[in-house]
Amino acid sequence: MFQVLTCLTVEHDWRLVVLASAVCVLASVVAISLFHRAQATHGRTQVVWLSLDAAAAGCGIWATHFIAMLAYDPGVGAGYNLGLTVLSLIFAVTITGVGLSVALHDFFKWSPAIGGTIVGGGIAAMHFTGMLALELPGRITFSFDLVLVSLALGAVFGSLALVVAARRDDLRHTLTSAFLLTIAIVSLHFTAMGAIVFIPGPALITDPISLSPASLSLVVAGAAAIILGMCLVAALSDRRSKHQLRQQEFLLDTALENMSHGLCMYDAEGRIVLLMRSAN
C-alpha cells in the first residue's frame, strides 16, 4: 500500500484531488436521494427516477475519475482518446443503472448487496476503460495485487452502501449510504492508480480525435453541471412530496376531528365519492 500513498502524495495535485472528492460526495448524496425516490414509487414513475439515478450516479463516478485524472501528473504529456472516454461514461451509467435496479427490486434477501456489488463493478469498468483512454509516451502496466484490492474495495463498499440505503429513507441512512458510496468510488480509484507502473517509450502519437486536458476539463464541467441539475431535481421533488404529505395529514386530521358532524369526500374533479351523514 506504500505504492498507493506515494502515488497520492507525489504524483497528484491535491487541490484537484479535493475537488474530485467534493464532486464524488455530491454525486453520492444525489444518487442515494434519487434511489429513495425510486423506492417510494411504482411503475413508469419508478423507471423515470431509476433512469435519473443511473445518469446522476454514472456522471458523478465519471466526473470524479477524470477530475482525479487531471490531478495525476506522470511527468510527461498526456491526451485522452475520445471514443474510450465516451465509452467509459456509457459503462458508468449503464452498469450502475443495472446495479441500482437489482437493489431496488427485492427479488430476494440479498438483492441490495448484489446490486451494490454490480455498482462496484460499474465503477471498476469505468475506471479501467478511462485508463485505457489515457494516451502517454510509453505504456502502462498494473500491479495485479493492487488491482484486486481496488476491485474488492469497490464491491464491498458499494454493496454496503445500497444495503444501508435499502433499509430506510431517512437522513441518517441517506448520509451513511452516501458516505459508503463515496468511499467505494474514491478507494477504488486511488488504489487502482497506485497499481499503475508507467514504462516510458517513444514519443506520444495522439489520435486525431483525442481530447487535450483543457478540453477534458470542459467535458467534466458539463458532467458536474448535470450532477447539480440532478441534485436540484431531487431537492425539489423531495420538497413537493413532503408538502403533499403534510396536506394529506392536515385533511385527514380535519376529517377525524369533524367525524361527529358527518363526512363528505370528493375526488380530484370535485365529485362526491363518499357521504356519511351525522346521526343527529
Side-chain angles (χ1 to χ4, degrees):
M1 298 304 289
F2 286 110
Q3 192 171 334
V4 177
L5 292 174
T6 300
C7 177
L8 269 171
T9 56
V10 176
E11 298 175 351
H12 281 81
D13 181 339
W14 267 92
R15 294 168 296 181
L16 288 174
V17 170
V18 171
L19 177 60
S21 300
V23 169
C24 187
V25 170
L26 174 61
S28 297
V29 171
V30 172
I32 299 302
S33 298
L34 293 177
F35 178 80
H36 284 149
R37 296 310 315 148
Q39 198 175 36
T41 56
H42 302 281
R44 291 183 179 179
T45 305
Q46 186 177 72
V47 172
V48 171
W49 282 116
L50 186 59
S51 299
L52 286 172
D53 195 9
C59 287
I61 294 166
W62 186 87
T64 298
H65 170 83
F66 280 102
I67 292 173
M69 285 304 300
L70 291 171
Y72 175 64
D73 181 15
V76 293
Y80 297 88
N81 180 277
L82 179 59
L84 289 173
T85 300
V86 173
L87 183 61
S88 68
L89 175 58
I90 293 171
F91 280 161
V93 173
T94 54
I95 300 176
T96 299
V98 171
L100 292 169
S101 180
V102 171
L104 188 63
H105 298 92
D106 281 332
F107 300 115
F108 46 88
K109 180 179 178 180
W110 298 106
S111 290
I114 293 173
T117 302
I118 295 173
V119 168
I123 300 169
M126 186 287 310
H127 176 89
F128 289 105
T129 306
M131 288 304 303
L132 288 175
L134 182 62
E135 297 176 334
L136 295 169
R139 64 189 180 90
I140 291 176
T141 61
F142 293 91
S143 175
F144 187 66
D145 56 343
L146 284 178
V147 169
L148 290 179
V149 171
S150 71
L151 294 176
L153 288 171
V156 170
F157 283 105
S159 178
L160 289 173
L162 290 194
V163 167
V164 173
R167 284 179 181 172
R168 188 174 299 174
D169 178 7
D170 59 23
L171 182 61
R172 183 169 68 88
H173 284 76
T174 297
L175 293 179
T176 301
S177 54
F179 172 75
L180 290 168
L181 183 57
T182 300
I183 295 298
I185 298 167
V186 172
S187 63
L188 186 149
H189 175 86
F190 288 109
T191 305
M193 291 301 294
I196 289 176
V197 179
F198 174 62
I199 302 173
L204 174 64
I205 301 175
T206 59
D207 190 279
I209 56 172
S210 291
L211 290 171
S212 67
S215 299
L216 182 62
S217 299
L218 294 175
V219 176
V220 172
I226 291 173
I227 298 168
L228 291 172
M230 298 292 182
C231 186
L232 179 61
V233 168
L236 292 177
S237 171
D238 187 59
R239 177 177 295 182
R240 180 181 177 185
S241 298
K242 289 179 179 177
H243 177 67
Q244 290 176 337
L245 181 60
R246 283 195 296 268
Q247 284 185 320
Q248 292 172 355
E249 289 176 345
F250 173 75
L251 291 174
L252 180 59
D253 290 342
T254 303
L256 292 174
E257 289 174 2
N258 294 278
M259 187 74 78
S260 60
H261 302 294
L263 181 63
C264 186
M265 296 182 66
Y266 299 86
D267 62 14
E269 297 178 0
R271 295 174 298 193
I272 296 176
V273 295
L274 176 63
L275 176 63
M276 297 175 61
R277 298 182 182 277
S278 172
N280 296 331

